[in-house]
């Protein structure tokens, strides 16, 4: 049984006239008759009774019409679903993000995504940058909101926003009472950096700024676990680095954030996705990200200000 035979039968059933059914289908009347005859031979029953005066459905035809209409409706839904998937309006997307992206990027982006693509199912996964990139490469994530520009082969990325880095210092540290400090002062004050393999974005933001300024940092250690930075700062009375967003919302007890100026090192956030994927759900997310933007850090004015440090 061919689909066109079913649609031809439904046209006859609705018009109860072979001429009008043929005109509706843009076919010759003889072709309509042939399609019906083939359908009836395959089914083995008469669906349409025709006389010189009228056309009517048989009892079998009436029963067949109900299921045939469901079949055509389901086929139309299948076509719509396929087209919606291609357009990014249907499907599932797995989004990786970090804490700051969850506060400053995702809320507005997901609002636009739900408005424009209401049938797109979203799964969110909060992970550190390294874990996100591993999951992205493994196909567990469709997009990742990470610090730094990914350089691994097979990934594309787009810059989203820059967040100032601040110095996190313990109570009692000489910088603890400062409103802000110049970057050049890091040449004489001991600091600790995260190991680049664990936190490349923070490491690169600080070190590259020092290189541009031709400043030798007073780095006394590099540690593997960025989450241990607060403990290291408090126990060794050294400077560690964190984003202005984290300093504002989740600074560990016993630490204060001191804005760094002249210049302010910036932590770049990127959205990343696989180049090998031909998936329109990623296109949908990127379109919503653009519509929700531009994304800007809206922290306090002194996070990147330039007035004199106050001691």
């Amino acid at each position: 049984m061919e689909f066109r035979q079913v649609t031809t039968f439904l046209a006859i059933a609705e018009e109860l006239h072979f001429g009008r059914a043929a005109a509706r289908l843009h076919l010759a009347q003889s072709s309509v008759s042939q399609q019906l005859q083939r359908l009836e031979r395959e089914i083995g029953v008469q669906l349409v009774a025709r006389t010189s005066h009228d056309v009517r459905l048989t009892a079998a035809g009436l029963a067949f019409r109900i299921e045939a209409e469901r079949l055509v409706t389901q086929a139309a839904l299948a076509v719509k679903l396929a087209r919606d998937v291609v357009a990014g309006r249907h499907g599932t997307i797995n989004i990786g993000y970090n804490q700051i992206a969850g506060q400053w990027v995702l809320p507005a982006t997901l609002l636009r995504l739900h408005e424009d693509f209401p049938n797109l199912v979203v799964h969110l996964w909060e992970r550190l940058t390294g874990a996100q990139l591993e999951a992205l490469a493994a196909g567990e994530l469709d997009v990742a909101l990470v610090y730094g520009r990914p350089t691994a082969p097979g990934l594309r990325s787009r810059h989203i926003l820059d967040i100032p880095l601040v110095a996190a210092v313990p109570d009692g540290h000489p910088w603890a009472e400062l409103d802000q400090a110049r970057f050049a002062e890091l040449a004489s004050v001991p600091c600790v950096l995260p190991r680049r393999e664990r936190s490349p974005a923070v490491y690169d933001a600080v070190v590259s700024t020092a290189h541009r300024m031709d400043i030798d940092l007073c780095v006394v250690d590099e540690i593997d676990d960025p989450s241990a930075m607060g403990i290291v700062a408090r126990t060794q009375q050294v400077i560690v680095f964190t984003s202005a967003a984290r300093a504002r919302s989740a600074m560990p007890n016993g630490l204060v954030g001191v804005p760094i100026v002249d210049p302010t090192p910036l932590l770049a956030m990127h959205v990343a996705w696989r180049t090998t994927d031909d998936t329109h759900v990623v296109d949908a997310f990127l379109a919503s990200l653009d519509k929700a933007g531009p994304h800007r850090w809206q922290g306090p004015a002194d996070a990147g200000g330039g007035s004199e440090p106050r001691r």
Side-chain angles (χ1 to χ4, degrees):
M1 181 174 61
E2 297 180 5
F3 190 75
R4 61 177 178 173
Q5 294 171 349
V6 176
T7 56
T8 298
F9 164 76
L10 286 176
I12 297 170
E14 292 171 10
E15 298 293 343
L16 294 178
H17 190 283
F18 278 76
R20 290 195 296 268
R24 175 174 163 178
L25 296 171
H26 304 288
L27 296 173
Q29 186 169 330
S30 59
S31 178
V32 170
S33 298
Q34 291 170 5
Q35 293 291 341
L36 176 62
Q37 290 169 6
R38 290 170 185 162
L39 178 62
E40 290 178 327
R41 280 199 302 270
E42 287 194 34
I43 297 175
V45 298
Q46 184 181 9
L47 300 175
V48 177
R50 176 170 55 173
T51 69
S52 58
H53 301 293
D54 67 349
V55 175
R56 60 181 177 81
L57 299 183
T58 64
L62 290 171
F64 184 79
R65 177 180 181 177
I66 295 173
E67 297 304 322
E69 288 174 340
R70 290 177 183 172
L71 176 64
V72 171
T73 299
Q74 191 63 41
L77 288 175
V79 171
K80 182 179 184 301
L81 177 60
R83 290 173 176 169
D84 283 350
V85 169
V86 169
R89 291 189 293 268
H90 204 288
T92 300
I93 183 168
N94 289 281
I95 302 169
Y97 69 100
N98 56 33
Q99 181 188 38
I100 305 308
Q103 294 175 339
W104 294 92
V105 177
L106 271 184
T109 300
L110 292 182
L111 281 175
R112 293 308 303 253
L113 190 67
H114 291 319
E115 282 183 14
D116 295 342
F117 306 95
N119 293 320
L120 190 61
V121 178
V122 175
H123 295 305
L124 300 176
W125 307 90
E126 183 177 1
R127 299 177 180 177
L128 297 177
T129 291
Q132 284 193 64
L133 294 178
E134 290 174 3
L136 188 62
E140 298 169 7
L141 294 177
D142 297 300
V143 295
L145 299 171
V146 297
Y147 288 137
R149 183 178 67 84
T151 57
L155 295 183
R156 293 185 61 191
S157 66
R158 182 186 303 173
H159 178 263
I160 303 175
L161 81 162
D162 292 314
I163 301 173
L165 281 178
V166 303
V169 301
D171 294 334
H173 188 278
W175 280 24
E177 299 301 321
L178 298 182
D179 286 340
Q180 57 189 23
R182 292 191 179 93
F183 189 92
E185 294 183 56
L186 291 170
S188 58
V189 181
C191 65
V192 171
L193 291 175
R195 199 171 298 278
R196 190 181 186 282
E197 291 78 8
R198 294 289 294 168
S199 187
V202 173
Y203 182 96
D204 289 348
V206 176
V207 172
S208 64
T209 302
H211 286 169
R212 289 198 309 272
M213 298 292 293
D214 196 23
I215 293 171
D216 291 326
L217 298 172
C218 184
V219 179
V220 297
D221 199 3
E222 295 181 7
I223 64 174
D224 285 321
D225 187 1
S227 64
M229 284 291 202
I231 298 174
V232 173
R234 290 194 299 273
T235 57
Q236 299 185 24
Q237 289 291 301
V238 294
I239 291 172
V240 297
F241 300 93
T242 189
S243 71
R246 184 175 291 276
R248 181 175 167 184
S249 62
M251 182 68 79
N253 290 334
L255 295 182
V256 295
V258 180
I260 304 172
V261 298
D262 300 330
T264 298
L266 298 175
L267 188 60
M269 184 178 292
H270 287 72
V271 57
W273 64 97
R274 290 181 298 276
T275 57
T276 54
D277 281 356
D278 182 19
T279 169
H280 293 273
V281 296
V282 173
D283 293 338
F285 179 82
L286 295 176
S288 299
L289 184 69
D290 290 341
K291 287 183 179 180
H295 303 276
R296 296 188 181 93
W297 163 248
Q298 299 176 355
D302 63 359
S307 59
E308 285 293 315
R310 179 171 59 83
R311 297 186 181 275

